[in-house]
């Protein structure tokens, strides 16, 4: 997975006052998205946009590209 999360997004949201119960109750993020974040799985850009809105940040503050070591490139 060459795109990784630079921060613990759920921890950052919690620090901003958005625990998982509040995120679900206010329909900001679904349970599936929250679970994907727990498992470091990809989420849709729509959800990244919502997180950036909540945290007042840019997508690059949340994610980064890490080049994979590909043995076939030699």
């Amino acid at each position: 997975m060459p795109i990784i999360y630079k921060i613990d997004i759920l921890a950052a949201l919690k620090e901003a006052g958005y625990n998982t119960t509040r995120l679900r109750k206010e329909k900001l993020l679904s349970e599936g998205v929250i679970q994907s974040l727990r498992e470091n799985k990809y989420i849709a850009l729509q959800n990244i946009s919502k997180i950036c809105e909540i945290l007042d940040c840019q997508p690059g503050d949340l994610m980064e590209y890490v080049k994979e070591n590909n043995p076939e490139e030699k």
Side-chain angles (χ1 to χ4, degrees):
M1 187 160 112
I3 302 290
I4 62 167
Y5 296 114
K6 293 166 53 172
I7 64 170
D8 182 340
I9 295 174
L10 291 177
L13 288 166
K14 187 173 184 177
E15 190 174 306
Y18 291 86
N19 63 20
T20 56
T21 303
R22 181 176 178 189
L23 291 169
R24 285 189 305 266
K25 187 175 182 181
E26 294 181 17
K27 297 183 180 176
L28 299 171
L29 298 175
S30 71
E31 180 59 40
V33 171
I34 292 168
Q35 188 61 36
S36 291
L37 289 170
R38 284 185 185 122
E39 297 172 2
N40 286 320
K41 293 182 178 177
Y42 292 130
I43 60 173
L45 287 176
Q46 177 183 357
N47 295 308
I48 294 291
S49 176
K50 178 55 76 174
I51 292 166
C52 287
E53 179 183 339
I54 293 168
L55 296 178
D56 190 28
C57 67
Q58 294 294 315
D61 297 330
L62 304 175
M63 305 177 299
E64 70 179 330
Y65 172 79
V66 177
K67 187 173 182 174
E68 291 182 333
N69 291 331
N70 189 348
E72 296 176 6
E73 290 182 357
K74 292 183 179 180

